[in-house]
Amino acid sequence: PVRPGGAIRAPERLNYVSPTYPTLALTARVHGLVIIEATIDSHGRVQDARVLRSDSTLLNDAALNAVRQWTYSPTLLN
């Protein structure tokens, strides 16, 4: 994996899927931030995604499921 910057142009998100708020989190009135690191393949599909930081574990699965459905333009070098 390579990170965007310099001669590597960052990919652009083409398809966005919103996370579905978990019923248990709604009932418990839980909200917060989930930070995810993802690897995008050469076709712009999310291959690997993992939670780096989360305000509540109740939100993690919903965030990961949504991110895994996103698509991007391929990252380009030069």
Side-chain angles (χ1 to χ4, degrees), residues 17-23 25-26 58-59 61-63 65-66 69:
V17 175
S18 296
T20 303
Y21 222 88
T23 305
L26 282 173
L58 293 175
L59 305 174
D61 287 339
N65 288 337
Q69 297 177 64

Side-chain angles (χ1 to χ4, degrees), residues 9-71:
R9 189 177 76 192
E12 294 180 30
R13 188 173 55 202
L14 303 174
N15 181 44
Y16 174 79
V17 175
S18 296
T20 303
Y21 222 88
T23 305
L24 184 57
L26 282 173
T27 304
R29 296 184 181 198
V30 172
H31 63 278
L33 178 71
V34 179
I35 298 175
I36 295 173
E37 178 180 65
T39 302
I40 302 166
D41 70 10
S42 60
H43 300 288
R45 294 182 299 249
V46 175
Q47 289 298 302
D48 299 309
R50 66 185 182 104
V51 174
L52 294 180
R53 192 183 86 192
S54 176
D55 292 340
S56 173
T57 57
L58 293 175
L59 305 174
N60 292 356
D61 287 339
L64 283 170
N65 288 337
V67 168
R68 288 179 179 132
Q69 297 177 64
W70 295 358
T71 56

